[in-house]
Structure formats: structure tokens, C-alpha cells
Amino acid sequence: MHYIANFIAGALLCNCIPHLVCGLQGVPFPSPFAKPHGVGDSSPLVNFLWGFFNLLAGAWLFSIDPVALGINPGFMVLLLGAFVLGLFITIHFGKVRRDKQAG
């Protein structure tokens, strides 16, 4: 159960970055609340709020089961969660941007 929490914490902490950055820059960005979900753009405010929620949720999961930095299973799973979600959103949003430029 600890590894699942670590994986999800890593994914949430990774996901908070693009939403917070876009929100703070005042740039629209896709979010789960856009239409269509994850493709259409949400307002900067929605992105900031979604990113902040992801940050709080990831930090909360991290606080329940703190992970020591270093070569240990908990930290590796946390990094794996961030890596897997990072790969997914990189590929997904790259496709979304290509489709928007083509259309």
C-alpha cells in the first residue's frame, strides 16, 4: 500500500507542474475540466486551482508515508510515478498541440 501511495504522490507532484506554470503565466492549458476533457483549454485560473490541488494531494500522500531521498524502494517508486505520468502527459499534450496547429 505504501508503494501505491508513493507512486500516486509522484504522479500528482509531476502533474501539478504544467498546470501551476500555465496558471501562473496566465496561459490557457488543457485540463480534465475542459471540453473535450484533456484536449480543450481551461482558463489559467482553473489550471492554477487544479495544479494547486494536485500539489496539496501529492504533498499529503507524501506526508503520510515520507520517503527518504536516495536509492531506496520508496523513492524509486515515487520517481517512477512522476516518470510514468510525465511520459504520458508529454505524449498526450504533444499530440494535442500538433492537432491544434494542424486544425
Side-chain angles (χ1 to χ4, degrees), residues 29-31 34 36-41 88-103:
F29 187 73
S31 83
H37 303 291
V39 176
D41 287 335
F88 172 76
I89 62 177
T90 298
I91 293 166
H92 173 73
F93 290 129
K95 182 181 180 317
V96 168
R97 284 190 178 260
R98 279 190 310 276
D99 291 349
K100 284 182 181 178
Q101 288 174 350

Side-chain angles (χ1 to χ4, degrees), residues 5 8-13 52-63 78:
I8 294 171
L12 289 168
L13 292 172
F52 197 74
F53 172 78
N54 278 258
L55 176 64
L56 291 177
W60 177 75
L61 281 173
F62 188 76
S63 74
L78 181 96

Side-chain angles (χ1 to χ4, degrees), residues 17-58:
I17 296 168
H19 294 287
L20 283 175
V21 168
C22 287
L24 291 170
Q25 289 181 337
V27 176
F29 187 73
S31 83
F33 307 103
K35 289 190 172 78
H37 303 291
V39 176
D41 287 335
S42 290
S43 71
L45 178 61
V46 168
N47 273 290
F48 173 77
L49 294 172
W50 180 240
F52 197 74
F53 172 78
N54 278 258
L55 176 64
L56 291 177

Side-chain angles (χ1 to χ4, degrees), residues 1 9 16 24 41 44 59 67 69 82 84 86:
M1 207 52 167
C16 82
L24 291 170
D41 287 335
V67 175
L69 298 178
V84 167

